[in-house]
Amino acid sequence: MRRTKEDAEKTRQTVLEAALKLFSRDGYSLTTLSRIAKEAGCSRGPIYWHFENKDDLYEAVLAYSQEPLEALVAECADMRETPIEAMDRFIERWLGLLANNRQYRQSFEILLNKTELTDAMSRTLKRERALTKSIIGLFRDLVGQAVDRDLITTQEDPEDLGLLSYTYLMGITQTWLFAPKLFSLKQETPFFKRQFWALLGR
């Protein structure tokens, strides 16, 4: 029985890998379950065993980018370090995941560049919007705490700076995914971090 569960999980992972590849290359609309099954080397039966339909599989694929960020928000909100250290770690991990984790990178690219935003995407978009709000809220709170401790000098509203933090990171992400040969994300990460702190008045 244990072996059967291991085989089932292996098949699920193979299907997810195939879906990641095809969704990131061809987009949501052009990627069918039949094509995913062919890429995975199986019939459509195992796909339906693990996923209700293409939308359910799509949500699982996008979880590769959503779940690490959700965990990172919770981790950085834990306040076992200074607000400056927490924000610095968030930026480092966000950009590091993009540069070093292919599955995470493909998942992010699918959401940003390869998806038509239709009603079929409602559950995924709801989760993504909730994640966006939580990241903005995290930076708002950390900026506010940094100001209270005189670690940042600014007259700007922490709410606005939380929004600025998120849009800054998303701008880097979108630009690099659209044109990865434009710059080396790994090499430019220290520069982006320095400019982030300049924006926040530190």
Side-chain angles (χ1 to χ4, degrees):
M1 184 67 179
R2 181 181 178 186
R3 181 61 184 165
T4 300
K5 289 181 178 179
E6 290 175 353
D7 288 345
E9 181 55 34
K10 184 177 179 180
T11 299
R12 183 180 186 276
Q13 194 61 35
T14 300
V15 169
L16 281 170
E17 286 280 346
L20 264 169
K21 178 180 178 180
L22 296 180
F23 281 137
S24 64
R25 188 185 71 192
D26 302 329
Y28 175 83
S29 295
L30 294 179
T31 300
T32 64
L33 290 182
S34 295
R35 293 182 62 201
I36 293 171
K38 183 178 180 180
E39 181 70 27
C42 66
S43 67
R44 285 190 296 177
I47 296 179
Y48 284 117
W49 176 262
H50 294 285
F51 306 99
E52 293 182 9
N53 47 42
K54 189 171 83 166
D55 292 343
D56 190 39
L57 175 54
Y58 175 83
E59 287 189 48
V61 163
L62 289 188
Y64 275 109
S65 64
Q66 294 171 327
E67 289 176 356
L69 287 184
E70 289 168 345
L72 187 55
V73 169
E75 182 182 331
C76 291
D78 196 20
M79 286 310 297
R80 295 183 180 179
E81 53 197 350
T82 70
I84 298 297
E85 290 171 335
M87 286 185 279
D88 208 52
R89 180 151 56 94
F90 191 99
I91 296 166
E92 186 81 33
R93 290 279 298 279
W94 175 312
L95 298 181
L97 280 166
L98 281 172
N100 301 314
N101 188 311
R102 177 183 56 82
Q103 294 172 335
Y104 177 88
R105 181 169 61 251
Q106 284 180 315
S107 178
F108 226 128
E109 185 173 30
I110 291 166
L111 179 65
L112 294 180
N113 298 329
K114 299 286 186 175
T115 300
E116 303 81 7
L117 302 181
T118 66
D119 289 342
M121 305 295 123
S122 59
R123 286 190 300 180
T124 294
L125 290 177
K126 183 178 180 180
R127 179 176 178 178
E128 188 65 28
R129 285 164 181 155
L131 176 57
T132 296
K133 289 181 179 179
S134 70
I135 295 172
I136 293 172
L138 171 70
F139 275 91
R140 175 201 63 214
D141 294 345
L142 292 174
V143 167
Q145 292 159 17
V147 170
D148 290 342
R149 298 186 192 184
D150 294 323
L151 300 173
I152 290 176
T153 302
T154 180
Q155 300 301 314
E156 301 292 347
D157 187 335
E159 186 81 42
D160 292 333
L161 292 177
L163 177 61
L164 177 65
S165 301
Y166 176 79
T167 55
Y168 178 77
L169 288 171
M170 282 299 293
I172 295 169
T173 299
Q174 177 72 289
T175 301
W176 186 69
L177 289 176
F178 184 72
K181 293 182 179 180
L182 189 62
F183 60 91
S184 168
L185 188 58
K186 288 182 181 180
Q187 291 179 7
E188 296 298 335
T189 291
F191 167 75
F192 289 136
K193 288 172 65 176
R194 290 195 303 271
Q195 296 310 306
F196 172 81
W197 292 119
L199 283 173
L200 264 63
R202 182 172 183 264

